[in-house]
């Protein structure tokens, strides 16, 4: 008798023995004589009872089968190992041969999916083996042929699943348990099948109707991917069942009109009226094309639940709407008090080429599990046309799938054939269950095609002739699905024809109504009901002052820490210095003024949200809003502990990106007008990385989409010899984009001005994005302080006059903005030029001519004026200012002192910088002839 070695007693091998023993009990002749002798062994029988192996039997000493039986066990163990490797291969690589492409492009079978790779032949196909958990069968014996059938049906039919990159064994098993027992197929009732057919009919007929009635018009058809409509319908219904009450959606132009009509509930007559374009005077210089427009609605589910849908407006920049949607979803859940992120959901619809090609995708995926930016899991849907404009996948990406970038997350990726609506339904069911269970993103990659060109006037066969020959042979997905239902007897031809007739009549009636229909003027509602856009001058001012005693109390509270909290030794001095500000011992610096602005708003129950790279401490080690215990690392934010019922104060360190985070905060501001929502650049120079967000959303949304935002951009700016990438927030770009009171561009020079500016942004009822050039070196400049009285009695001034000179003695006027003022003031003292007045233009846009006139009124009308800036002549504010105010100052003359025009913001040499700065200052005080 040879004992089996301990390594032979794996759980799989023990399972094998138990399976054989169960068979032996039912039919002794079904096992070999060797095993019969082993099971009849007196020692074995003593350890078993009622047909179940007892724990005592599992000790190694009892496993002493005869040599022949031992060899059979070893052979079985080797066979199980080969089968186990084959099973794992199907779970890992089965998607590689899944029939996900409706055009039937051939896919090569990987060797690891071939039984012969593991020494398995046709002879083995009818042999029975433990199922190794496949299909939820536990330890049930299955023929190898049946086992492979389950695996192929689950992973290789119309659904391909990538999930083995997920590290968690529990999540992988969770997914297997929801796919293998039903072989990745959902059983639909007749009502559900009819609903899918109806949705497909809606999608197909809408596209056909548009093409017939508006010949040659661009609509960016959904044809070839019509399954998107039933997919969205199923996802929304499922979300409502899971307790979701708000869904924020984002998508590009492909299929957008179809989604607006058939999901968002925008009446077709409205869409048809937009096609007719009969009211051009209404949109002179404003509005946007119809396939960029957004919409919102209330949705009532089949079971009677209600939720709110909102489709974001989006420019042609495809994926850049994604962080905006996520910010809106986060704001909605915050407003609902839903800290578990269960009631609000983000749903993003992507194109395959854009998902693979645009970096903003990586940014939002990276943000998805960060606590400051998570939304409880986003449903991503790829409308996979298998072509990007005219570019084939082989030219568009280096990966197999468009979705491969999403493998950076621990989430499943479902690829599904869009011409199999029931496979789509199964994928939606599992994906939504996953999202709810794990609150992570999930990807559904719907393979279809683009039946027409990029737009309806395009000829796609110029560049993809073979692809479009294959597409021409395809019948619409609605017809294919109907044929299947008719064959199954799930629906009759008469029922299908009735659905089609009802949909056609609805569209015809809508077209008739559109001829006399007047497009509505959209009015602000909901949280925006009390806020306005329009002209800045028309908006009532607000009292931004705060009483001294309250300011003192707030600053003291903002410097307190809990008992037992160990403050960093260097920070103790900073906190004590701030308490000294509160006592009036010295002026408030920039960080102190900001703290008071945040604290005063929060205790008035306004939300304060600031995010950006390193903003908790502050890039320049000035803010210290988040304190870290010197011994434990515990974080304490004093601004969150000012009063029992205060507004939330979130000071959030962001990931190292600009597009994603600025877009997120812009989206947040769309849902939270009653708060101070801010994004801070690490250095203002880096704002240009997010230029798409600025151009397409921030500065133009009110004009294009009538969408207001009060987002604040804090952009450290100033030439201080730190080189070309740490000097300029590109002030000139914002001024070049400023028109029709669309934004506010401000370059404040005192802490009090900054304090009142932030409070004004919240307390006024007008909502405009606010661009603030913030300081770097001035954060600790001894002259850059403000008194308590300036906070308690003052307000924000668009222009700061010069109270240090006598107007009658002034022979030259200097206009400037921001940091350079302090250099000019020091130079004036050095030169003893009391005859030069220095005026600070704090609000560059909007700036009323009357405001400038009022600031200049005390001085002789012929006193020459020089605009001084440290930026190059083609940058900064000079060209903007001279263009708009040069005529107004013609009687005084207007000259310029600054650096020469340059393609780069600044020199890289500190010595060269100082030399240039001296020239700028010298030019400011050079005599200018009086006119």
């Amino acid at each position: 008798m040879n004992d089996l070695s301990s390594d032979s007693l794996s759980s799989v091998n023990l399972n094998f023995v138990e399976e054989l023993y169960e068979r032996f009990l039912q039919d002794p002749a079904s096992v070999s004589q060797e095993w019969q002798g082993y099971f009849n062994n007196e020692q074995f029988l003593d350890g078993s009872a009622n047909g179940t192996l007892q724990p005592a039997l599992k000790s190694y000493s009892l496993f002493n089968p005869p040599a022949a039986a031992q060899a059979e066990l070893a052979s079985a163990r080797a066979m199980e190992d080969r089968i186990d490797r084959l099973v794992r291969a199907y779970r890992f690589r089965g998607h590689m041969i899944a029939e996900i492409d409706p055009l039937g492009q051939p896919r090569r079978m990987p060797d690891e999916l071939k039984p012969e790779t593991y020494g398995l032949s046709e002879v083995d196909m009818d042999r029975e083996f433990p199922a190794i958990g496949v299909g939820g069968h536990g330890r049930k014996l299955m023929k190898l042929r049946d086992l492979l059938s389950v695996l192929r049906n689950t992973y290789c039919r119309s659904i391909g699943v990538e999930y083995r990159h997920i590290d968690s064994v529990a999540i992988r098993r969770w997914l297997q348990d929801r796919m293998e027992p039903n072989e990745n197929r959902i059983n639909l009732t007749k009502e559900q099948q009819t609903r899918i057919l109806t949705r497909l009919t809606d999608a197909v007929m809408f596209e056909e109707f548009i093409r017939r009635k508006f010949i040659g018009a661009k609509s960016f058809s959904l044809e070839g991917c019509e399954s998107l409509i039933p997919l969205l319908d199923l996802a929304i219904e499922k979300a409502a069942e899971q307790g979701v009450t708000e869904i924020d959606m984002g998508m590009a132009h492909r299929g957008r009109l179809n989604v607006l009509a058939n999901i968002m509930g925008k009446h077709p007559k409205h869409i048809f009226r937009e096609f007719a374009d009969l009211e051009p005077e209404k949109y002179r210089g404003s509005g946007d094309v119809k396939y960029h427009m957004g919409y919102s609605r209330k949705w009532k589910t089949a079971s009677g639940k209600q939720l709110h849908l909102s489709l974001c407006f989006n420019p042609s920049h495809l994926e850049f709407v994604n962080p905006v949607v996520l910010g809106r979803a986060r704001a909605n859940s915050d407003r609902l008090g839903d800290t578990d992120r269960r009631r609000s959901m983000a749903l993003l619809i992507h194109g395959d080429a854009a998902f693979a090609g645009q970096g903003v995708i990586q940014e939002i995926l990276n943000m998805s599990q960060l606590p400051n930016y998570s939304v409880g899991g986003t449903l991503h849907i790829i409308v996979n046309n298998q072509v990007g404009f005219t570019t084939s996948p082989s030219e568009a990406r280096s990966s197999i799938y468009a979705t491969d970038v999403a493998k950076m997350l621990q989430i499943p990726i479902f690829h599904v054939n869009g011409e199999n609506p029931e496979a789509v339904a199964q994928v939606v069911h599992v994906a939504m269950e996953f999202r709810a269970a794990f609150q992570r993103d999930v990807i559904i990659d719907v393979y279809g095609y683009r039946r027409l060109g990029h737009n309806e006037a395009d000829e796609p066969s110029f560049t993809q002739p073979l692809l479009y020959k294959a597409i021409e042979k395809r019948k619409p997905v609605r017809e294919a699905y109907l044929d299947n239902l008719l064959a199954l007897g799930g629906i009759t031809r008469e029922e299908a024809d009735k659905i089609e007739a009802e949909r056609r009549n609805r569209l015809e009636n809508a077209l008739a109504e559109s001829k006399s229909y007047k497009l509505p003027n959209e009015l602000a509602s909901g949280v925006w009901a009390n806020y306005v856009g329009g002209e800045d001058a028309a908006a009532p001012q607000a009292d931004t002052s705060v009483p001294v005693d309250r300011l003192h109390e707030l600053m003291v509270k903002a410097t307190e820490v809990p008992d037992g909290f160990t403050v960093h030794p260097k920070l103790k001095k900073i906190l004590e210095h701030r308490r000294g500000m509160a006592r009036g011992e010295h002026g408030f610096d920039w960080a102190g003024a900001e703290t008071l602005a945040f604290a005063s708003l929060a205790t008035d129950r306004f939300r304060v949200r600031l995010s950006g790279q390193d903003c908790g401490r502050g890039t320049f080690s000035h803010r210290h809003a988040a304190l870290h215990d010197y011994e434990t690392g515990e974080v304490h934010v004093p601004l969150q502990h000012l009063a029992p019922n205060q507004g939330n104060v979130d000071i959030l360190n962001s990931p190292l990106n600009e597009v994603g985070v600025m877009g997120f905060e812009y989206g947040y501001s769309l849902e939270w007008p009653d708060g101070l929502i801010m994004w801070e650049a690490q250095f203002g120079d880096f704002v240009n990385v997010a230029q798409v967000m600025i151009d397409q959303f921030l500065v133009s949304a009110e004009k294009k989409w009538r969408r207001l935002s009060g987002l604040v951009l804090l952009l450290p700016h100033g030439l201080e010899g730190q080189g070309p990438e740490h000097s300029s927030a590109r002030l000139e770009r914002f001024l070049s984009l400023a028109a029709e009171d669309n934004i506010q561009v401000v370059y404040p020079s005192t802490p009090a001005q900054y304090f009142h500016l932030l409070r004004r942004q919240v307390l006024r009822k007008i909502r405009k994005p606010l661009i603030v050039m913030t300081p770097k070196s001035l954060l600790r400049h001894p002259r850059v302080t403000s008194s308590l009285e300036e906070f308690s009695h003052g307000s924000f001034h668009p222009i700061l006059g010069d109270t240090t000179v006598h107007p009658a003695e002034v022979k030259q006027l200097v206009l400037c903005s921001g940091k350079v003022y302090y250099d000019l003031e020091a130079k004036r003292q050095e030169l003893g030029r009391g005859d030069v007045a220095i005026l600070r233009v704090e609000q560059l846009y909007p700036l009323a001519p009357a405001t400038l006139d009022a600031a200049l009124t005390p001085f002789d009308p012929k006193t020459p004026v020089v605009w001084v800036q440290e930026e190059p002549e083609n940058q900064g504010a000079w060209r903007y200012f001279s263009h708009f105010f040069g005529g107004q100052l013609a009687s005084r003359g207007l000259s310029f002192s600054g650096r020469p025009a340059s393609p780069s913001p600044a020199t890289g040499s500190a010595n060269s910088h100082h030399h240039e700065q001296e020239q700028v200052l010298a030019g400011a005080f050079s005599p200018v002839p009086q006119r």
Side-chain angles (χ1 to χ4, degrees):
M1 300 285 284
N2 297 317
D3 288 349
L4 289 174
S5 61
S6 61
D7 63 356
S8 71
L9 293 173
S10 67
S11 61
V12 172
N13 296 330
L14 186 57
N15 291 344
F16 178 75
V17 175
E18 291 179 328
E19 296 284 355
L20 285 182
Y21 185 53
E22 289 178 9
R23 288 170 57 188
F24 170 77
L25 292 174
Q26 295 172 11
D27 180 11
S30 66
V31 302
S32 68
Q33 290 185 353
E34 298 286 348
W35 280 107
Q36 289 179 39
Y38 180 60
F39 291 141
N40 284 321
N41 182 282
E42 187 176 293
Q43 189 178 19
F44 185 92
L45 293 174
D46 287 344
S48 64
N50 301 322
T52 303
L53 298 184
Q54 297 296 315
L57 177 63
K58 299 179 183 179
S59 64
Y60 298 158
S61 61
L62 293 181
F63 277 85
N64 296 308
Q70 187 173 342
E72 186 179 345
L73 178 61
S75 175
R77 185 173 68 248
M79 179 66 76
E80 288 173 19
D81 180 64
R82 293 199 293 273
I83 293 172
D84 182 55
R85 287 162 57 200
L86 178 59
V87 169
R88 282 188 280 117
Y90 267 90
R91 288 169 171 165
F92 192 92
R93 301 273 284 168
H95 62 87
M96 293 297 295
I97 59 169
E99 298 170 358
I100 56 177
D101 184 358
L103 301 178
Q105 300 294 326
R107 309 185 78 191
R108 187 188 67 83
M109 176 177 279
D111 289 342
E112 58 263 46
L113 298 182
K114 299 175 181 177
E116 55 266 31
T117 300
Y118 307 94
L120 300 168
S121 66
E122 185 63 28
V123 175
D124 299 307
M125 289 298 161
D126 290 316
R127 293 179 59 187
E128 290 186 329
F129 302 97
I132 318 178
V134 172
H137 294 288
R139 290 191 294 270
K140 179 182 177 182
L141 292 173
M142 292 180 69
K143 291 182 180 179
L144 180 56
R145 188 183 309 281
D146 297 334
L147 185 67
L148 287 175
S149 177
V150 171
L151 293 170
R152 288 169 180 160
N153 287 342
T154 302
Y155 299 110
C156 307
R157 284 190 301 183
S158 295
I159 300 171
V161 190
E162 294 182 271
Y163 70 102
R164 299 298 288 187
H165 59 280
I166 299 173
D167 293 332
S168 169
V169 174
I171 291 179
R172 295 203 303 267
R173 286 177 177 166
W174 185 95
L175 288 164
Q176 286 165 199
D177 289 345
R178 279 152 185 80
M179 296 187 294
E180 291 179 1
N182 58 14
E183 299 183 7
N184 238 347
R185 177 178 288 172
I186 192 168
N187 291 319
L188 299 175
T189 64
K190 179 181 178 180
E191 289 73 21
Q192 291 170 322
Q193 290 174 331
T194 302
R195 184 169 181 132
I196 290 174
L197 179 64
T198 301
R199 288 305 197 179
L200 285 174
T201 304
D202 288 335
V204 171
M205 296 201 66
F206 180 83
E207 298 296 351
E208 292 177 351
F209 192 87
I210 291 287
R211 198 146 35 89
R212 287 200 322 270
K213 301 297 184 178
F214 302 96
I215 298 171
K218 290 183 181 181
S219 66
F220 296 98
S221 167
L222 188 61
E223 289 174 271
C225 287
E226 293 95 335
S227 287
L228 175 66
I229 301 303
L231 188 161
L232 292 173
D233 180 73
L234 290 163
I236 293 167
E237 291 282 313
K238 186 70 174 178
E241 289 178 18
Q242 295 170 336
V244 173
T245 59
E246 295 272 351
I247 297 182
D248 289 288
M249 298 169 57
M251 68 180 299
H253 47 267
R254 175 72 52 205
R256 190 181 186 91
L257 293 177
N258 208 313
V259 171
L260 283 168
N262 292 316
I263 295 297
M264 298 308 303
K266 186 173 184 178
H267 200 287
K269 68 181 179 184
H270 192 148
I271 297 172
F272 298 158
R273 184 68 174 186
E274 290 172 338
F275 269 102
D277 197 13
L278 298 177
E279 302 169 73
E281 70 286 349
K282 184 176 180 179
Y283 299 100
R284 192 177 300 276
S286 67
D288 201 350
V289 291
K290 49 198 162 294
Y291 36 80
H292 289 171
M293 304 306 284
Y295 206 72
S296 62
R297 69 168 293 188
K298 292 288 185 182
W299 178 289
K300 188 173 183 179
T301 70
S303 61
K305 297 182 184 296
Q306 282 198 339
L307 49 71
H308 183 261
L309 298 182
S310 181
L311 177 64
C312 285
F313 299 82
N314 192 30
S316 285
H317 290 64
L318 304 178
E319 303 294 336
F320 282 83
V321 73
N322 296 340
V324 177
V325 172
L326 298 178
R328 291 186 67 181
R330 174 72 178 224
N332 278 327
S333 62
D334 284 348
R335 192 173 288 282
L336 292 168
D338 177 26
T339 56
D340 292 333
R341 315 291 170 204
R342 297 280 183 185
R343 296 174 59 191
S344 180
M345 171 180 151
L347 192 160
L348 297 175
I349 304 168
H350 315 269
D352 52 316
F355 196 86
Q358 297 198 354
V360 67
I361 295 297
Q362 185 274 337
E363 294 187 12
I364 64 165
L365 293 175
N366 179 57
M367 294 166 68
S368 68
Q369 289 296 301
L370 301 180
N372 297 334
Y373 304 94
S374 65
V375 296
T378 299
L379 176 63
H380 299 268
I381 300 166
I382 317 291
V383 177
N384 197 325
N385 295 309
Q386 305 190 66
V387 63
F389 202 162
T390 67
T391 304
S392 299
S394 61
E395 299 171 295
R397 61 177 184 261
S398 298
S399 57
I400 295 174
Y401 295 113
T403 56
D404 281 350
V405 66
K407 289 182 183 176
M408 66 184 286
L409 299 182
Q410 300 285 295
I411 62 172
I413 301 169
F414 298 93
H415 308 282
V416 60
N417 189 320
E419 286 198 345
N420 186 336
E422 298 201 2
V424 171
Q426 164 66 6
V427 164
V428 171
H429 177 77
V430 179
M432 292 295 291
E433 289 284 340
F434 174 87
R435 179 196 166 274
F438 300 103
Q439 292 192 282
R440 301 185 188 183
D441 291 21
V442 61
I443 312 287
I444 300 177
D445 181 15
V446 186
Y447 267 68
Y449 47 85
R450 191 186 65 199
R451 184 172 290 278
L452 305 176
H454 176 67
N455 59 61
E456 285 62 30
D458 195 31
E459 177 46 75
S461 63
F462 286 162
T463 51
Q464 275 82 24
L466 299 182
L467 176 66
Y468 276 85
K469 286 178 182 177
I471 290 173
E472 286 175 2
K473 300 175 183 177
R474 307 300 300 175
K475 63 170 64 175
V477 61
R478 188 249 183 199
E479 291 184 27
Y481 186 54
L482 176 57
D483 289 345
N484 183 54
L485 293 183
L486 292 173
L488 294 173
I491 195 170
T492 66
R493 172 64 69 177
E494 290 74 18
E495 290 171 321
D497 290 345
K498 181 181 179 182
I499 293 171
E500 183 176 351
E502 288 174 349
R503 266 45 195 176
R504 181 179 292 108
N505 289 337
R506 179 172 183 264
L507 294 174
E508 291 287 359
N509 292 336
L511 181 61
E513 292 174 21
S514 72
K515 292 178 171 50
S516 58
Y517 177 69
K518 296 293 184 183
L519 291 173
N521 288 316
E522 296 178 12
L523 300 175
S525 59
V527 296
W528 283 98
N530 296 322
Y531 300 95
V532 298
E535 295 183 7
D536 182 87
Q541 294 302 308
D543 181 6
T544 58
S545 63
V546 179
V548 169
D549 56 349
R550 185 176 171 214
L551 291 170
H552 176 272
E553 179 186 354
L554 289 174
M555 183 54 82
V556 170
K557 293 290 291 183
T559 59
E560 290 179 349
V561 296
D563 292 340
F565 189 94
T566 306
V567 178
H568 191 287
K570 293 183 179 179
L571 285 180
K572 288 182 179 179
K573 296 180 180 179
I574 293 176
L575 296 180
E576 179 52 40
H577 183 76
R578 291 181 180 176
R579 285 189 283 270
M581 296 177 193
R583 293 190 293 267
E585 296 172 4
H586 35 256
F588 279 77
D589 60 16
W590 202 269
E594 182 184 78
T595 299
L596 284 181
F598 291 176
S600 60
L601 290 170
T603 51
D604 283 338
R605 301 189 182 181
F606 292 104
R607 176 177 285 269
V608 175
R609 179 182 170 93
L610 168 64
S611 76
Q613 296 157 25
D614 311 296
C615 69
R617 189 202 75 172
T619 299
F620 310 101
S621 194
H622 68 288
R623 180 172 290 123
H624 297 293
L627 304 177
H628 296 256
D629 190 292
Y630 194 52
E631 302 295 336
T632 67
E634 179 186 355
V635 178
H636 176 70
V637 181
L639 286 168
Q640 296 174 347
H641 303 277
L642 302 170
N645 298 313
Q646 70 172 79
N648 288 74
V649 178
D650 297 315
I651 313 293
L652 310 171
N653 288 337
S654 77
L656 192 63
N657 76 57
E658 287 76 31
V659 173
V661 179
M662 184 194 288
F664 190 99
E665 300 307 331
Y666 173 76
Y668 201 101
S669 74
L670 295 179
E671 299 296 335
W672 213 290
D674 47 334
L676 183 63
I677 313 302
M678 298 163 285
W679 176 78
E680 182 175 63
Q682 191 177 60
F683 282 83
D685 311 65
F686 306 153
V687 73
N688 58 13
V689 179
Q691 197 66 44
V692 171
M693 290 298 173
I694 295 165
D695 293 347
Q696 305 302 324
F697 292 94
L698 199 67
V699 305
S700 59
E702 182 176 347
K703 194 69 173 174
K704 292 192 298 185
W705 305 321
R706 302 189 69 183
R707 294 294 295 173
L708 303 179
S709 167
L711 181 66
V712 180
L713 303 189
L714 303 179
L715 310 178
H717 176 83
L719 277 69
E720 292 149 333
Q722 296 189 56
E725 272 68 63
H726 295 87
S727 298
S728 176
R730 300 292 186 177
L731 173 61
E732 65 281 355
R733 289 187 182 170
F734 290 101
L735 292 174
S736 72
L737 293 168
E740 299 185 356
D741 287 15
N742 61 332
I743 54 175
Q744 307 162 88
V745 183
V746 183
Y747 196 175
S749 61
T750 74
Q753 283 280 86
Y754 182 50
F755 169 86
H756 290 294
L757 178 67
L758 294 180
R759 285 181 53 77
R760 184 185 77 165
Q761 182 70 0
V762 178
L763 297 178
R764 290 203 300 173
K765 293 304 181 184
I766 192 170
R767 284 294 174 267
K768 303 281 180 176
L770 172 62
I771 318 302
V772 186
M773 302 289 118
T774 58
K776 295 176 287 184
S777 63
L778 299 189
L779 293 171
R780 296 175 179 81
H781 196 293
R783 298 293 300 276
V784 185
T785 61
S786 299
S787 67
L788 272 171
E789 287 69 26
E790 290 178 90
F791 299 118
S792 62
H793 293 96
S795 62
F796 177 78
H797 300 283
I799 298 179
L800 289 178
D802 191 340
T803 60
T804 66
V805 297
H806 297 291
E809 299 175 3
V810 170
K811 297 178 181 179
Q812 188 164 318
L813 290 170
V814 169
L815 294 179
C816 67
S817 191
K819 166 188 167 290
V820 74
Y821 165 77
Y822 293 96
D823 295 332
L824 288 166
E825 185 186 42
K827 191 68 175 179
R828 179 172 63 177
Q829 291 182 358
E830 177 190 325
L831 298 174
R833 292 292 302 275
D835 61 343
V836 176
I838 306 173
L839 280 67
R840 288 169 271 179
V841 181
E842 303 274 292
Q843 180 163 302
L844 290 158
Y845 187 84
L847 180 62
T851 302
L852 181 58
D853 273 343
L856 298 176
T857 295
F859 306 99
D860 189 300
K862 295 184 178 180
T863 307
V865 177
V866 57
W867 177 270
V868 181
Q869 67 179 39
E870 55 188 1
E871 301 93 345
E873 183 269 342
N874 60 319
Q875 300 174 34
W878 163 243
R879 291 189 175 177
Y880 154 80
F881 191 84
S882 61
H883 175 79
F884 285 101
F885 300 101
Q888 184 177 344
L889 299 175
S891 63
R892 297 177 179 272
L894 178 62
S895 61
F896 170 76
S897 181
R899 287 172 168 78
S902 170
S904 178
T907 176
S909 163
N911 287 336
S912 178
H913 162 77
H914 292 302
H915 177 70
E916 292 173 352
Q917 195 77 348
E918 282 300 314
Q919 291 180 319
V920 170
L921 299 176
F925 292 98
S926 296
V928 178
Q930 274 195 326
R931 295 181 67 85

